[in-house]
């Protein structure tokens, strides 16, 4: 069988794989991406966070993305029973980016992949990783193209950015259930002719439909809007018919959307996804590191997925460069602990969201601006800033704040 030799093999050409490949390539290492599908391909995850711009900058992707004219995103708006809580990234506590984009992922991911290819990284599309054998930190990976042709890649290191494909965890039985309960979503893109032209397009809107059930509304610059219902799989059972019929009934049942989206044209038959939260026993090993969704994906509510994907790749790529240059890397401290800080901060917010703790905070009257700016930084993805008490004390701060709000309101 034909064997190709590289320094670093990257699995997957999603944001995680392309950011990692670009950074490693810039350091002069020989890198190759193997991608199962043909691009552009559909994937969900369209609302980015400002923190991801730092990783896109280091990867050299910002200008290429800017040229595409994607919808700029300046904040996140939460809505419940007519009450609105608006977070503007410009008001955030942590110094950093105060805007980002809302992107149809097929086009965004293709832009990143084309850019990394132009930088000199070969991308083999429609080629699937089917097996890996490690010999110490070196490895031989077997790949197969769509015509059934097999070949092998010898690599000094593998970065697994295979997203929902979870290549290394599946091949080596490392998959582990997440501690979050299963959730379901039904979503599509709609032709949004009644979108308002003032504050609406430049932020994600998250609507509390009822306890534990919420809706995302993500406008794109091409006139389409992504809309999806998310929550306990049991909730969806009361709606019958095709996916489109179910989604139309759901939209009709939500006062915030009913008028704007009655009779909207749906661009594709609404899709269903369920039970997406998974993690892995290990995030790294001799000769490999997992990045992006392969590490742990929590929940869509705070749009953390792409940001954790590209930040993990940024960290991992820089560690791989050091490792291959003969330096010592403390993977536990420099990668696992760093990643878990980000993931666990978002985990506390996701749990507080589904419990209703964040409803109490978001929809309180007379909010304290300084506290709001600290929470805003988490919503912007700055979950590594330990100067922010709402990051440092993420496990307790939200509950204490919600109790204070409840106590205050009970005295008024
Ligand atoms: C309902 C829902 C809504 C979401 N909304 C958001 C959001 O608003 N914002 C946000 O940031 N995130 C969101 N996410 C999360 C987002 O989808 C992911 O976090 C993000 O796509 C992860 O990027 P990645 O590069 O790790 O993986 P991916 O984008 O999935 O890329 C992985 C690539 O690897 C390839 N691959 C898989 N297996 C193999 C193989 N065997 N060989 C070769 N290649 C392979 C795949 O084809 C794919 O192209 C959402 C997720 C869900 C479930």
């Amino acid at each position: 069988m034909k064997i190709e030799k590289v320094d670093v093999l990257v699995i997957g050409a999603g944001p995680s794989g392309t950011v990692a490949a670009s950074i490693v390539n810039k350091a002069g290492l020989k890198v190759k991406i193997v991608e199962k599908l043909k691009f552009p391909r559909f994937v969900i995850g369209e609302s980015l966070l400002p923190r991801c711009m730092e990783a896109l900058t280091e990867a050299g992707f910002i200008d290429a993305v800017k040229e595409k004219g994607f919808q700029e995103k300046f904040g996140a708006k939460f809505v419940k029973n007519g009450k609105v809580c608006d977070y503007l990234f410009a008001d955030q506590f942590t110094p950093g980016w105060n805007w980002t984009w809302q992107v149809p992922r097929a086009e965004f991911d293709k832009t990143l992949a084309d850019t990394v290819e132009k930088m000199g990284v070969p991308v083999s599309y429609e080629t699937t990783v089917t097996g890996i054998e490690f010999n110490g930190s070196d490895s031989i990976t077997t790949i197969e193209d769509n015509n059934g042709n097999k070949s092998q890649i010898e690599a000094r290191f593998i970065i697994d950015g295979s997203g929902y494909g979870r290549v290394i965890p599946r091949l080596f039985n490392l998959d582990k259930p997440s501690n979050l309960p299963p959730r379901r979503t039904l979503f599509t893109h709609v032709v949004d002719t009644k979108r308002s032209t003032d504050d609406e397009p430049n932020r994600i809107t998250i609507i509390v439909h009822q306890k534990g059930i919420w809706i995302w509304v993500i406008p794109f610059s091409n006139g389409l809007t992504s809309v999806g219902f998310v929550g306990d799989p049991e909730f969806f059972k009361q709606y019958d018919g095709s996916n489109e019929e179910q989604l139309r009934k759901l939209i009709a049942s939500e006062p915030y959307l009913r008028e704007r989206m009655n009779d909207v044209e749906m661009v594709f038959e609404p899709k269903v996804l369920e039970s997406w939260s998974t993690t892995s026993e290990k995030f790294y090993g001799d000769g490999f590191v997992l990045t992006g969704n392969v590490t742990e994906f929590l929940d869509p509510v705070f749009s953390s997925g792409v940001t954790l994907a590209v930040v993990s790749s940024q960290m991992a790529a820089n560690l791989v460069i050091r490792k291959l240059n003969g330096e010592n890397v403390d993977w536990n401290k420099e990668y696992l602990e760093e990643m878990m800080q980000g993931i666990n901060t978002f985990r506390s917010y996701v749990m507080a969201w589904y419990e209703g703790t964040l409803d109490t905070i978001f929809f309180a009257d007379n909010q304290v601006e300084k506290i709001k700016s600290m929470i805003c930084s988490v919503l912007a993805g700055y979950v590594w800033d330990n100067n922010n008490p709402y990051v440092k004390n993420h496990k307790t701060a939200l509950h204490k704040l919600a109790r204070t709000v409840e106590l205050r309101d009970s005295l008024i």
Side-chain angles (χ1 to χ4, degrees), residues 23 25 47 63 137 144 152 191 238 268 329 352 357 378 386 411:
I23 294 173
N25 177 60
S47 169
D63 289 343
S137 57
E144 188 172 337
Q152 291 188 316
V191 182
Q238 62 190 294
F268 53 82
V329 172
T357 308
V378 173
N386 280 320
L411 296 173

Side-chain angles (χ1 to χ4, degrees), residues 216-233:
W216 79 69
V217 179
I218 305 172
F220 301 137
S221 57
N222 60 7
L224 304 183
T225 291
S226 177
V227 58
F229 281 69
V230 185
D232 184 347

Side-chain angles (χ1 to χ4, degrees), residues 11-17 34-37 39 41 43-49 105 109 127-130 161-167 185 187 204 216 218 230 273 276 291-294 297 299-307 309:
I11 311 175
S16 180
V34 173
E35 165 57 52
K36 186 175 170 175
L37 300 176
F39 274 27
R41 56 92 177 89
V43 66
I44 195 65
E46 298 147 335
S47 169
L48 308 183
L49 300 182
R105 282 286 301 282
D109 288 17
T127 304
T128 303
V129 169
T130 56
S162 60
Y164 302 103
R166 311 191 58 72
V167 171
T185 179
F187 64 92
I204 184 173
W216 79 69
I218 305 172
V230 185
L273 289 173
W276 44 72
T291 60
N293 256 37
V294 195
F297 175 64
D299 191 271
V301 65
F302 297 119
S303 307
S304 56
V306 172
T307 295

